[in-house]
Amino acid sequence: MPYYALDGISPVVEEGAYVHPEAVLIGDVIVEQGSYIAPFASLRGDFGRIHIKANANVQDNCVIHAFPGIDVVVHERGHIGHSAILHGCIIEEGALIGMNTVVMDGAVVGAHSIVAAHSLVASQQHIPSKMLALGSPAKVIRELSEKEVAWKSLGTDGYIELTERCLATMKQVEPLKTIEVDRKRMVIDESIKPKFAD
């Protein structure tokens, strides 16, 4: 069971959200409807609140922890890549945090921005809306094009669809011993399949 109350405060997972059984939610954690929490994500609300708003996703091996007195908020359609660390920060609507990126206390990543993989958003740093930032410490490189913002949004749509698929069909099974003849492949809706930006 991935849910633990602390000091009488239990996690909240709204109907229509998906939390994988191998994720861990402790204490003051709120996950709104449509959101996806992947395997081995750790959301530890033992010093402050963690609020994952509607249709956001937190991918595998992410660590989210609130600094005392400072909430972590991932706003609607926030997209948190594999193994990212969020600590006492705000991720605004539709922002994408790249894989293995660290976002520190008091930092704000603006709406619809992208922070590239392996970056460090320093304490109190503010990344404006619709910007591309990268590096350690992260620097704003340029404004995103409308095409790039749309491309990013398609990737988030894929995770919203994955939430629905997991709620409808995921179950624990024993592995098969042999490969089936004509083994099926995953069928993904082409309209939400991300295309690489030019």
Side-chain angles (χ1 to χ4, degrees), residues 70-175:
I70 302 176
D71 295 349
V72 175
V73 182
V74 176
H75 282 272
E76 290 83 356
R77 296 179 61 84
H79 192 107
I80 313 303
H82 311 288
S83 299
I85 298 173
L86 306 183
H87 204 274
C89 59
I90 304 293
I91 310 302
E92 293 185 344
E93 180 178 353
L96 184 152
I97 305 302
M99 294 179 276
N100 285 302
T101 288
V102 177
V103 185
M104 291 300 297
D105 304 301
V108 177
V109 177
H112 308 290
S113 285
I114 295 175
V115 180
H118 295 281
S119 295
L120 169 64
V121 180
S123 179
Q124 307 300 319
Q125 185 174 4
H126 182 261
I127 307 295
S129 297
K130 293 188 178 180
M131 294 292 174
L132 172 63
L134 58 88
S136 183
K139 292 185 179 3
V140 173
I141 301 303
R142 61 175 172 81
E143 188 171 4
L144 293 171
S145 69
E146 290 305 316
K147 185 173 184 179
E148 288 169 321
V149 171
W151 170 81
K152 176 182 56 63
S153 184
L154 283 175
T156 302
D157 289 344
Y159 271 92
I160 294 168
E161 190 216 22
L162 179 59
T163 299
E164 295 166 358
R165 290 168 56 209
C166 289
L167 288 169
T169 70
M170 187 175 282
K171 60 184 179 180
Q172 190 168 13
V173 297
E174 290 294 321

Side-chain angles (χ1 to χ4, degrees), residues 18 20-23 36-42 58-62 170:
Y18 177 79
H20 190 276
E22 297 296 330
Y36 173 85
I37 310 297
F40 310 114
S42 175
V58 175
Q59 298 175 20
D60 317 70
N61 300 312
C62 287
M170 187 175 282

